[in-house]
């Protein structure tokens, strides 16, 4: 009986989970830094509106 | 001040921790990948086939270290959480919560590789056996901690509530560990031991411990990386984050 | 007999509401023209909230009729004519301030002339666009509801204690919003206890007294 | 355009629900996790008696899906009622039934669909005979939207009450029973090699009718409950 | 006396809960009715296969009781949190753990006790062998207070959130599993004529420990959740 | 050095609170003697509610200390000294007004000198003893909470926007209650926006400003 497919499947699962574990927080960090940059760009002073207009 | 204490104190400052984690986690990942590569190569190609289980026992080298880590990470999470609850140290809250997804990952690996191994050995993917069941419950606990942490919006309160749950959940660890001893079980009994004589073939011992060390490094590396992400999220309004984002753009 | 050229925006005839057969407010007759404000006053428990909910169509009047622009309205017509600000803010705690307005405008339609961010600036929430609604204080939530009102195309505003929880500057803001709205041909009902300054506009008064 | 069209209102509502979902991603998995837990509980209570488990597997999965749907029902209108959004739905210039239909759809998408995707796993856990998986999925695919639509009527009726969890379950279950009987009956028939077509036809017909009538009924019930 | 004694506070709380119960008499029966419905659903789904039903009867009743308890859990602190009563508990000059213990007791009295009384009926519905009724009742009598106490910790942790229904289920079930395993295991052992004493001893010991620790843990969790 | 004979009823040193690491109110220092009222003023979102919750012990201060009668209090001591009136009324909708007061007095203790029905008469709810709390209007609920306060034996009242939702007569009532309470040796913190008349008693002012 060949066990090859079982062994390959087990190691593949192992690699897949580790890959997720590596990538997920990296993507989070990237997104957070991007958001911080966007916020900094946005926080330029705004013109205060005086009289109500619509 | 004691230099170790001072270093620990410094580590508690968010910007310092960020740079610390950013510096060290790549090295730890590199070490982990190297160790895991060597261990897997030895386990897959160097060690001779088992006389009983044939080649299927090569799953052993991922299954058992991952199972051991799934328990250890939970213990670490509870320890960090206890420190965080008692002394209100923010870094420990972050570290405790960073443990949860990593530990859940190892638990998934344990469950899936175990199932895959079970098919040829026991003739079934799954059985409601004490060890398997308790390990599944461990996964649910990990998910519960993650969900609870996500469900409360004040990050500190969320960490304290989820950490509390982790501490309550520690009761499960000895039950998983000794389930094979207390109940009669389909699953293998204790075979590996750190100090005494292990009951496995000597040729398997070295790759096993290499894999174990590799996974340990992986855990530390991933812990730092996840803690860094959480740290950044908590501090996202701060100046240093804005500076950092500008610098890395 | 010829119809008057401009029927009043809102007219209540003989309007009464009872809860479990006990009258909450007696039969009322009043009308409201474009450009007018109606101040609904009365002590605690006089029935102000109940009256506004009846006018909005959330409760069914026991007796009498409500006319909008001279006709008894279909629900959809009434919806187009009325904007209601009640005790509950209708905000999703987990969405940001801007996303909340997005949704409410999708539901009620909006004035094409006013961008959402401009409305937020008007009510003094500039800079809070991305804050989650749950993170706003009591007064900030009220201001967000005011922004929704500002975006709404409905001519008739029904405001239940719009001043509660607002600071002095906020009270001033409500008064300015009402003035502009009336100048543009709208009308509004405002419930108040009389503890606050009323808006400086053409105002009628409706005294409610707890039905015995 | 000042007054919103039907499609604009639907788009706004769907967008809002998806944003809320994204904000609380974990919630989307919770009905699924609950179903998994019910299945696990069953397996545990039966102590791993394989033969018995395999025999009751399709029924246990149906019951689990139904209970998960029942629990999720509370979130269909409750949140919107508590923060006053529902008042604003009633005051919107689009028909309430249309908003209800859109809401039921987005609710199905975010609570039942993940569960459907996980049915193969649940089957494995309960030793479901493989050849019954297809029929089970077909039945659930027709049944869960039907359950959602029927549930919407009940959820609408109870929306005015605080803490209605169990009352809602009580009101909904009688409506759910026919769906369960045909769904489980279809699987049973298929398991014995009989033709299950009529069960699926009935479920399909029920779904078609409910698609038209349930939003109208739920809208009427909402108006009553909030009066 | 201006500052209340422990017993005065407990009496006030119990009196309040009983008055509320009386005001909404129907609610007291709802967990019971829910359990009945789960049992009926099961009987329906299995199409009245007597042999199969009798075999799974004690387990189905355990699962039904557990799910009913889970659903009722939401009402343990939720109502008091939403209207601000819980804030006042925290600000009262009696220990929070004591108030929690009293509340858990009154909650058990009003939700689980009716269910226990109805177990004979549920057993009949599922063709439970008569001789297993005694052990089943014993197990449930020890198990339901334990479930309530464990559930209180989880309910306390999730009290700060809106709509926590399913999250609570997810958190509570791991804690419930041992109770279920020993409870159902005891019935199974008795059914096979084995000695079930050790299962009952373990449940009893768990109950004793939980009686002391769970209110303390729940009080700590409440403080964390409301912070 | 000898201790002062009467330590202040409440003293905050260096008190600060942060949410998600953003300061809500800065380090504050203030003290409050028996017979005094402290008016906490500030615009919407300035942190008034948060401050009161910290003082009541519902939130944990980030920095600084709180002393009551000269000592940092145990939770039970603090509970005996403090009565908190927040945005949420702590009323059970399905119990009658009197039953609600019954329970709250059982929980917090009460002044033996005041019968429950007398307290309800004081706040103008005579005749509503058997009305269910759900049937009360916004202002009537507020009055019921005031009755609870009137029954409480605690010397320190923490009142968060006590005037909101009350009519003119109700505002007057709050001011009278505060005057009597202070005359009897109590003290109170009141948050307000400055839109209402403050109570005619010895008053200090604490301005909060939204932390940048
Ligand atoms: C889904 C199925 C399985 C699960 C959840 C599972 C889980 C576990 C756990 C939790 C451990 C404990 C690690 C520790 O003591 O720290 C473990 C160890 C072990 N497992 Fe599994 N396992 C599964 C299937 C299998 C199968 C099929 C085999 C082999 C036929 C196997 C062989 C072993 C061995 C040899 C150990 C090491 C025992 C020791 O030295 O303590 N497992 N497993
Ligand atoms: N759901 C209800 N069931 C029975 N009676 C009610 C209900 N809601 C309000 N009431 C009663 O109806 C009367 C009018 O209530 P309403 O809320 O309209 O008063 P209000 O003028 O808005 O008072 P406030 O200024 O205090 O908000 C009150 O006497 C109140 O007790
Ligand atoms: N749960 C929360 N999470 C995050 N931020 C919050 C939360 N609650 C309040 N805030 C923020 O904290 C600040 C202070 O809020 P607080 O409720 O104390 O204000 P306040 O002075 O009572 O205002 P108001 O007069 O409007 O009631 C506000 O800017 C608000 O946006
Ligand atoms: Mg009102
Ligand atoms: Mg406030």
């Amino acid at each position: 009986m060949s066990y090859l497919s079982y062994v390959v499947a087990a190691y593949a699962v192992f690699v897949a989970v580790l890959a997720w574990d590596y990538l997920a927080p990296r993507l989070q960090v990237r997104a957070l830094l991007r958001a911080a940059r966007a916020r900094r760009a946005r926080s330029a002073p705004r013109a205060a509106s005086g009289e109500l207009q619509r | 001040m004691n230099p170790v204490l001072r270093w620990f104190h410094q580590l508690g400052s968010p910007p310092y921790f960020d740079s610390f984690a950013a510096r060290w986690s790549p090295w730890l990942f590199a070490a982990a990948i190297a160790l895991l590569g060597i261990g897997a190569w030895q386990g897959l190609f160097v060690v001779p086939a088992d006389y009983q289980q044939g080649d299927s026992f090569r799953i052993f080298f991922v299954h058992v270290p991952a199972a051991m880590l799934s328990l250890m990470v939970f213990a670490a999470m509870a320890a960090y959480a206890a420190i965080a609850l008692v002394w209100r140290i923010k870094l420990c809250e972050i570290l405790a919560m960073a443990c949860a997804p990593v530990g859940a990952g190892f638990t998934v690996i344990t469950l899936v590789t175990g199932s895959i191994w079970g098919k040829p050995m026991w003739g079934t993917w799954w059985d409601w056996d004490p060890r398997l069941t308790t390990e599944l419950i461990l996964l649910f606990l990990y998910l519960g901690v993650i969900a609870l942490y996500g469900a409360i919006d004040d990050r500190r309160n969320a960490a304290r509530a989820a950490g509390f749950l982790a501490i309550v959940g520690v009761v499960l660890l000895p039950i998983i560990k000794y389930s094979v001893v207390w109940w009669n079980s389909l699953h293998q009994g204790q075979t590996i031991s750190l100090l005494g004589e292990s009951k496995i073939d000597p040729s398997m011992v070295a790759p096993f411990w290499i894999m174990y060390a590799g996974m340990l490094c992986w855990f530390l590396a991933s812990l730092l990386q996840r803690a860094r992400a959480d740290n950044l999220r908590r501090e996202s309004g701060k100046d240093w984050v804005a500076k950092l984002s500008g610098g890395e753009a | 007999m010829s119809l008057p050229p401009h029927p009043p925006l809102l007219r209540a005839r003989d309007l009464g509401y009872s809860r479990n057969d006990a009258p909450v407010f007696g039969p009322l007759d009043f009308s409201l023209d474009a450009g007018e404000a109606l101040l609904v006053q009365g002590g605690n428990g006089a029935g102000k909230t109940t009256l506004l909910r009846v006018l909005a169509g959330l409760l069914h009047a026991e007796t009498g009729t409500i006319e909008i622009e001279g006709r008894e309205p279909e629900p959809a017509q009434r919806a187009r004519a009325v904007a209601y600000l009640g005790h509950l803010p209708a905000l999703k705690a987990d969405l940001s301030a801007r996303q909340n307005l997005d949704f409410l405008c999708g539901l009620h339609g909006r004035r094409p002339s006013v961008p959402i961010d401009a409305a937020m600036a008007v009510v003094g929430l500039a800079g809070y666009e991305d804050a989650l609604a749950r993170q706003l204080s009591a007064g900030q939530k009220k201001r967000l509801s005011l922004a929704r009102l500002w975006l709404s195309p409905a001519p008739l505003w029904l405001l239940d204690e719009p001043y509660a929880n607002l600071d002095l500057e906020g009270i001033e803001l409500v008064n300015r919003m009402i003035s502009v709205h009336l100048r543009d041909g709208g009308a509004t009902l405002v419930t108040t206890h009389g503890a606050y300054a009323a808006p400086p506009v053409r105002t009628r008064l409706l005294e409610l007294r707890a039905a015995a | 355009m000042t007054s919103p069209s039907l499609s604009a209102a639907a788009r706004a509502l769907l967008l809002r629900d998806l944003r809320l979902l994204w904000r609380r991603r974990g919630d989307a998995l919770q009905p699924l996790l609950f179903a998994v837990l019910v299945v696990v509980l069953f397996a545990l209570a039966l102590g791993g008696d394989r033969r018995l488990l395999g025999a009751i597997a399709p029924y246990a999965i149906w019951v689990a899906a139904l209970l998960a749907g029942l629990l999720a029902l509370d979130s269909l209108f409750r949140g919107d009622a508590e923060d006053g959004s529902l008042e604003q739905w009633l005051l919107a210039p689009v028909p309430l039934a249309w908003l209800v239909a859109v809401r039921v759809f987005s609710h199905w998408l975010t609570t039942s669909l993940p569960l459907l995707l996980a049915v193969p796993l649940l089957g494995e856990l309960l030793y479901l005979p493989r050849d019954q998986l297809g029929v089970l999925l077909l039945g659930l695919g027709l049944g869960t939207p039907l359950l959602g639509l029927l549930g919407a009527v009940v959820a609408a009726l109870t929306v005015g009450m605080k803490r209605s969890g169990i009352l809602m379950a009580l009101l909904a279950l009688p409506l759910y029973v026919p769906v369960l009987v045909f769904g489980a009956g279809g699987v049973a028939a298929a398991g014995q090699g009989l033709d299950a077509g009529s069960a699926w036809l009935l479920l399909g017909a029920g779904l078609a009718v409910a698609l038209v009538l349930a939003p109208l009924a739920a809208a009427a019930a909402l108006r009553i409950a909030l009066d």
Side-chain angles (χ1 to χ4, degrees), chain A, chain B, chain C, chain D:
Chain A
M1 178 168 182
S2 161
Y3 295 118
L4 182 64
S5 56
Y6 294 108
V7 176
V8 168
Y11 277 77
V13 166
F14 177 61
V15 171
V17 174
L18 289 196
W20 163 80
D21 191 38
Y22 179 73
L23 288 178
R26 278 191 89 75
L27 294 180
Q28 277 173 17
V29 168
R30 278 237 323 255
L32 282 167
L33 289 179
R34 196 165 345 106
R37 214 173 312 132
R39 196 169 21 248
R40 194 156 70 149
R42 225 178 321 128
S43 67
R46 275 168 230 264
S49 60
E51 187 46 33
L52 295 193
Q53 280 300 333
R54 63 176 189 185
Chain B
M1 215 194 309
N2 178 327
V4 178
L5 262 183
R6 192 173 61 225
W7 172 75
F8 201 77
H9 200 74
Q10 215 181 11
L11 201 58
S13 125
Y16 184 82
F17 177 76
D18 185 78
S19 63
F20 175 84
R23 182 142 31 88
W24 284 105
S25 75
W27 290 107
L28 282 167
F29 272 123
I33 290 171
L35 284 169
L36 291 175
I38 298 172
W41 177 73
Q42 289 203 352
L44 284 176
F45 304 112
V46 177
V47 174
D50 189 87
Y51 70 95
Q52 253 185 346
Q53 306 189 347
D55 279 328
S56 77
F57 88 99
R58 297 186 193 281
I59 298 175
F60 172 91
F61 298 106
V62 284
H63 171 74
V64 182
M68 291 165 86
L69 273 216
S70 71
L71 303 184
M72 202 203 80
V73 173
F74 201 96
M77 174 168 71
Y80 281 131
I83 298 173
L85 273 182
V86 175
W87 286 292
R88 290 178 166 262
I89 298 176
K90 197 167 58 182
L91 181 60
C92 287
E93 286 170 8
I94 293 178
L95 288 174
M97 291 303 109
C99 285
V102 191
F106 282 120
T107 312
V108 168
I109 295 176
T110 309
L111 284 166
V112 177
T113 57
S115 299
I116 292 173
W117 200 1
K119 186 68 184 171
M121 288 299 105
W122 306 333
T124 175
W125 301 98
W126 185 259
D127 192 90
W128 294 98
D129 150 288
R131 167 155 281 176
L132 274 52
T133 308
T134 47
E135 181 78 2
L136 185 62
I137 292 174
L138 182 73
L139 179 64
F140 285 140
L141 259 183
Y142 271 123
L143 294 181
V145 169
I146 295 171
L148 190 60
Y149 184 55
I152 302 177
D153 20 71
D154 185 275
R155 300 327 289 153
R156 299 208 66 173
N157 286 343
R160 274 144 46 80
F164 186 84
L165 182 67
I167 293 171
V168 173
V170 168
V171 191
L172 192 64
L173 297 186
I175 300 181
I176 301 176
K177 180 93 192 160
Y178 296 109
S179 53
V180 282
V181 183
W182 293 343
W183 290 282
N184 51 8
S185 168
L186 198 58
H187 193 278
Q188 250 75 354
Q190 305 260 67
T191 45
I192 305 265
S193 80
L194 190 53
L195 299 175
E197 192 77 358
S198 295
K199 293 187 216 137
I200 53 173
D201 189 273
S203 70
M204 292 164 65
V205 172
F208 168 79
W209 287 113
I210 293 175
M211 287 295 277
Y212 181 77
M215 288 194 204
L216 202 61
C217 282
W218 184 279
F219 162 58
L220 293 176
S222 186
L223 178 70
L224 282 182
Q225 203 179 44
R226 285 184 183 273
R228 178 175 179 227
D230 199 16
N231 187 43
L232 276 175
R233 185 177 7 256
R234 288 179 180 225
E235 299 277 314
S236 53
K238 297 290 170 58
D239 282 346
W240 69 266
V241 180
K243 275 207 210 85
L244 189 69
S245 68
E248 283 198 8
Chain C
M1 202 184 94
S2 71
L3 284 170
H6 286 293
L9 192 51
L10 173 74
R11 150 155 238 131
R13 288 184 213 267
D14 224 22
L15 195 65
Y17 182 83
S18 315
R19 204 179 262 120
N20 294 329
D21 288 323
V24 176
F25 54 79
L28 295 176
D29 278 280
F30 60 84
S31 71
L32 189 63
D33 286 320
E36 270 188 338
L38 183 69
L39 238 58
V40 183
Q41 287 201 328
N44 291 138
K48 304 179 293 298
T49 298
T50 311
L51 171 62
L52 256 64
R53 293 178 70 86
V54 168
L55 290 176
L58 291 170
L59 298 176
H60 282 278
E62 180 91 348
T63 63
T65 57
I66 300 168
E67 287 171 14
I68 290 185
E69 288 168 347
R71 283 162 301 148
E72 290 194 32
E74 298 287 296
Q77 280 169 11
R78 182 183 336 223
R80 261 187 291 276
V82 167
Y84 172 72
L85 176 80
H87 283 306
L88 293 171
L91 301 174
K92 287 280 139 198
D94 286 319
L95 290 185
S96 72
R98 193 196 278 115
Q99 289 171 341
N100 266 300
L101 287 182
D102 261 358
F103 168 64
L104 288 165
C105 288
L107 198 59
H108 293 290
R110 55 180 277 218
R111 285 172 191 267
S113 57
V114 191
I116 285 187
D117 283 3
M120 293 204 54
V122 163
V123 298
L125 287 182
Y128 284 86
E129 289 87 355
D130 294 323
L132 300 188
R134 68 159 75 256
Q135 297 170 347
L136 300 178
S137 77
Q140 287 164 339
K141 281 189 191 123
K142 194 74 165 223
R143 284 162 184 261
L144 192 54
S145 297
L146 290 173
R148 156 169 79 76
L149 213 65
W150 193 242
L151 288 163
S152 152
L156 179 59
W157 288 358
L158 303 178
L159 311 182
D160 196 4
E161 304 203 26
Y163 303 109
N165 297 319
L166 289 178
D167 54 15
L168 286 176
E169 196 263 316
I171 293 175
E172 180 49 32
L173 165 72
V174 173
N175 285 340
R176 261 185 298 140
M177 284 177 62
I178 291 180
S179 307
V180 174
H181 181 62
L182 298 202
R183 209 186 51 211
D184 293 355
T188 177
L189 256 86
V190 181
T191 72
T192 154
H193 298 296
Y196 308 87
V201 291
R202 184 147 54 97
T203 303
R204 298 198 197 178
L205 197 71
L206 180 68
E207 260 314 305
L208 286 189
R209 212 165 295 285
Chain D
M1 169 214 68
T2 60
S3 200
S5 65
L6 285 189
S7 67
R11 211 170 34 239
L13 186 53
L14 270 178
L15 187 65
R16 180 198 78 153
D17 282 350
L18 292 179
R19 274 172 171 165
L20 276 174
L21 184 76
W22 179 243
R23 190 78 69 182
R24 350 190 90 223
R25 280 162 289 237
D27 283 18
L29 292 182
Q30 284 179 0
L32 164 59
L33 280 172
F34 180 76
V36 173
L37 282 168
V38 171
V39 163
V40 169
L41 278 186
F42 244 97
L44 280 174
L46 263 66
D49 181 337
R50 292 195 140 214
R51 199 187 37 75
L52 207 55
L53 269 180
I56 65 158
Y59 314 113
I61 291 178
W62 258 99
V63 172
L66 202 146
L67 289 174
L70 210 54
L71 284 190
L73 213 52
D74 198 45
S75 65
L76 185 56
F77 298 124
R78 174 58 40 115
D80 285 320
E82 276 172 359
D83 62 20
S85 296
L86 218 51
E87 280 176 4
Q88 299 296 338
W89 292 22
L90 263 84
L91 299 177
V94 282
L96 185 57
W98 172 246
L99 293 175
V100 168
V102 174
R103 174 78 186 121
V104 171
F105 173 68
S106 78
H107 195 253
W108 180 83
L109 215 61
T110 54
T111 59
S112 295
L113 194 61
L115 199 135
L116 276 185
L117 297 181
V119 164
L121 174 70
L122 297 183
E124 262 332 285
L125 285 179
L126 287 177
Y127 310 120
L128 177 78
R130 296 273 162 74
D131 50 352
Q132 293 186 21
L133 186 61
V135 261
L136 183 60
L137 272 175
L138 176 62
L140 285 171
L142 287 170
T144 49
L146 184 50
L147 292 178
L149 285 164
L150 294 176
V153 180
V154 173
L157 274 175
T158 57
V159 82
M161 291 159 231
K162 300 195 114 179
R163 283 182 295 125
S164 64
I166 294 188
L167 176 61
M168 191 147 64
L170 269 183
L171 294 179
L173 279 174
L175 295 179
Y176 282 11
V177 163
V179 182
L180 177 71
V181 168
F182 288 115
V187 180
Q192 295 160 18
L194 304 176
D195 181 27
S198 68
W200 305 149
L201 272 182
L202 272 170
L203 277 186
L207 182 56
V209 173
L211 266 177
V212 178
L213 293 186
L216 292 172
L222 273 181
R223 281 189 201 280
I224 293 173
L226 291 183
D227 196 10

